[in-house]
Amino acid sequence: MVPRLIIHGGAGLIESPDFTERQYEKALRKAIKETYSVLLQKGSRQAVLYGIRLLEDDPLFNAGYGSRLQKDGRVRMSAAIMDSVSQKFSGVINICNVRHPIDVADTLSKRRHAVLAGRGATEYARRRKMEYCSPLAPHRLKEHAEKVKGESGTVGIVAVDHKGCICAGTSTGGVGYETPGRVSDSATVAGTYASRVCGVSCTGQGESIVNQAVAAKIVARVEDGVSLASAVQRLVGIARQKKLRIGLISLDCYGNILVGNGYNTKVLYAKHEGTKIDTFLTQPHDHEHVPRH
Ligand code: GLY
């Protein structure tokens, strides 16, 4: 198996007038390059953790530092990870002031209770001395002052290593200016899921992703013998018909990589299939994925 990797930087691409599309693209290319070497050396789970940590540290993306603020002015972040070998979903929901929510999600995979939320999640991270960070970035404070409601955001990675282990991970700061405590899809099986056949990470409007049980449904269909391409296309068809802003990246055990974008949804993604990095921007309403520089 040639190790492969796909990474997305969210569906709400140009989220802030302070940044350009080119900056997002450059950041994704850098992240995928470094993450691919981790994939070769340490396997898919470590690669997903490494890559998501990079994006959580980058204020361009709506995850970790640079997450959007909820209505009450607090940042609450969510992240999840799952791989095809352990088959354990673990995640954190609405955790505060940690540098890497994805790392907290990772440690929970070894615990009896694999998903923690709110204060319990934050206290768990403190007890484990996980790195503290105030995620408040200046452009997000400005957005909050202007009551900007985001559409989406989120970062995610799906990777397969040479042993065939598939891992999916997702991290988000939510949609922005939401009711405090609103739960995003990212740390649910609708937003992140992996089994021996394929892995999926979603971006877009969390409520729609949960209603369609996107990631778990695609994986279940592929387990039942449907091709990944058909499973993704079916989901995308429904999303467009119902006008749902859903985006997803996916990868199967044969190394096929599929990206889906629902109604009026742009997804910027980069993929590495062993030889080179390709960056694309999906276009709303159609199936065209425009290659970037
Ligand atoms: N997909 C991210 C969110 O809705 O919070």
Side-chain angles (χ1 to χ4, degrees):
M1 165 65 70
V2 176
R4 287 182 169 88
L5 174 63
I6 177 157
I7 178 165
H8 74 76
L13 183 57
I14 301 302
E15 295 167 344
S16 164
D18 299 348
F19 303 118
T20 65
E21 198 177 296
R22 184 84 183 114
Q23 279 176 290
Y24 281 95
E25 195 192 320
K26 262 180 83 178
L28 268 197
R29 287 186 84 88
K30 183 176 175 292
I32 201 165
K33 198 169 165 201
E34 287 182 29
T35 305
Y36 194 77
S37 53
V38 177
L39 178 64
L40 296 180
Q41 288 159 32
K42 298 187 177 168
S44 57
R45 189 170 181 105
Q46 290 310 314
V48 167
L49 290 169
Y50 181 90
I52 290 186
R53 270 186 226 121
L54 286 180
L55 302 176
E56 285 177 340
D57 280 344
D58 189 335
L60 281 179
F61 299 99
N62 178 23
Y65 178 69
S67 287
R68 291 200 173 105
L69 282 65
Q70 297 191 340
K71 206 172 196 167
D72 62 354
R74 292 207 75 180
V75 168
R76 296 177 180 86
M77 301 165 287
S78 300
I81 186 162
M82 184 167 189
D83 74 59
S84 61
V85 172
S86 72
Q87 273 293 281
K88 282 188 184 160
F89 176 94
S90 61
V92 284
I93 296 172
N94 286 333
I95 194 167
C96 295
N97 297 323
V98 290
R99 182 172 172 196
H100 294 303
I102 195 69
D103 281 344
V104 188
D106 179 50
T107 66
L108 284 166
S109 69
K110 293 162 204 106
R111 312 282 299 190
R112 189 159 66 101
H113 303 304
V115 182
L116 291 181
R119 209 165 73 188
T122 306
E123 283 170 3
Y124 167 83
R126 292 285 163 275
R127 278 199 304 277
R128 291 190 64 102
K129 304 206 180 329
M130 308 208 61
E131 200 171 339
Y132 177 93
C133 173
S134 164
L136 293 170
H139 66 291
R140 296 299 188 197
L141 286 165
K142 204 169 95 194
E143 275 179 22
H144 181 262
E146 291 162 2
K147 301 188 179 171
V148 174
K149 291 192 178 81
E151 278 282 321
S152 52
T154 308
V155 300
I157 302 183
V158 188
V160 61
D161 59 30
H162 73 281
K163 290 184 180 161
C165 176
I166 297 172
C167 183
T170 314
S171 183
T172 190
V175 288
Y177 216 79
E178 62 264 73
T179 304
R182 176 238 180 210
V183 172
S184 98
D185 61 289
S186 303
T188 73
V189 297
T192 308
Y193 205 78
S195 82
R196 67 183 172 79
V197 294
C198 70
V200 181
S201 166
C202 295
T203 177
Q205 220 269 332
E207 284 74 6
S208 303
I209 294 166
V210 168
N211 285 338
Q212 295 300 320
V214 176
K217 199 185 270 178
I218 289 175
V219 173
R221 284 189 176 140
V222 176
E223 280 181 349
D224 287 346
V226 174
S227 71
L228 181 62
S230 304
V232 169
Q233 215 34 63
R234 192 155 159 204
L235 207 289
V236 166
I238 291 168
R240 288 180 184 180
Q241 191 194 356
K242 291 182 184 284
K243 297 193 168 38
L244 307 177
R245 293 181 195 271
I246 289 175
L248 68 98
I249 56 170
S250 63
L251 183 159
D252 71 13
C253 56
Y254 306 108
N256 296 308
I257 287 179
L258 269 298
V259 176
N261 59 317
Y263 176 74
N264 210 6
T265 314
K266 279 182 171 187
V267 182
L268 179 68
Y269 67 94
K271 60 179 181 172
H272 199 318
E273 296 181 277
T275 47
K276 64 179 174 62
I277 298 168
D278 292 307
T279 322
F280 296 89
L281 176 63
T282 65
Q283 295 303 295
H285 303 306
D286 61 29
H287 301 274
E288 196 190 352
H289 295 196
V290 179
R292 309 299 301 165
H293 312 283

